Amino acid sequence: MRILIIDDNLADQYLLREAAETLGVPVALTFAMDGDHGFAILDHLLARCPHKLPQLILLDLHLPGLSGLEVLERLKSHECLAMIPVVMLTTSSLIEDARVAYRRRANAFMTKHPNFEVFRQQFQTMISFWHDAAPPPTPGR
């Protein structure tokens, strides 16, 4: 499964790598430090190898530059990217943040648990859902 993670927190990136190594399915993680970097990666893939677009995007709510909600809105308004599931992965547990994310068509809103083992289980459950239970369609041009 190909996953694009847009999150500027290096500690989160490390934890996601660690959690991915414990999964029973192959996972290819690509990291972007902000929304502009994420769109540069996606634009490159759309132009050169659309078959390698991510099958899932994990998006932090609080990013430098474009906010996670602005990135989400742009993703969901793009013809070729709109069908890629986007999970807001954040430290926020505010119900209003979740409401706004869902209004902007987030597919899920997951609050990162501070305990690594619990977070690893959250990540494993999320990947299992998107990989096994509800695999997204392959994005087309």
Side-chain angles (χ1 to χ4, degrees):
M1 176 170 228
R2 293 178 309 280
I3 303 172
L4 173 61
I5 300 165
I6 305 174
D7 188 338
D8 69 323
N9 186 317
L10 295 176
D12 288 347
Q13 291 181 15
Y14 175 79
L15 291 175
L16 286 162
R17 278 189 191 96
E18 290 292 312
E21 288 179 7
T22 67
L23 296 174
V25 297
V27 177
L29 304 179
T30 301
F31 292 93
M33 295 299 286
D34 58 34
D36 290 328
H37 184 207
F39 280 111
I41 291 168
L42 292 167
D43 287 341
H44 172 79
L45 292 172
L46 279 168
R48 297 212 167 97
C49 39
H51 61 285
K52 290 190 177 182
L53 281 168
Q55 296 161 293
L56 179 66
I57 296 174
L58 304 183
L59 178 59
D60 191 18
L61 188 62
H62 304 290
L63 293 171
L66 294 173
S67 73
L69 293 173
E70 291 170 316
V71 172
L72 174 64
E73 203 166 283
R74 281 182 56 188
L75 286 167
K76 293 302 182 177
S77 67
H78 191 287
E79 181 182 355
C80 296
L81 303 175
M83 72 172 56
I84 301 172
V86 177
V87 175
M88 301 304 293
L89 185 62
T90 180
T91 56
S92 175
S93 58
L94 298 174
I95 192 70
E96 188 54 30
D97 285 341
R99 283 187 182 127
V100 171
Y102 283 122
R103 273 190 233 117
R104 294 189 187 188
R105 299 178 29 215
N107 297 88
F109 187 94
M110 186 176 121
T111 301
K112 299 176 215 171
H113 198 280
N115 176 286
F116 177 72
E117 283 307 312
V118 175
F119 173 74
R120 187 186 59 71
Q121 184 61 45
Q122 285 178 315
F123 184 73
Q124 185 173 9
T125 300
M126 176 183 48
I127 297 306
S128 177
F129 175 77
W130 289 111
H131 183 267
D132 299 327
T138 303
R141 290 190 89 166

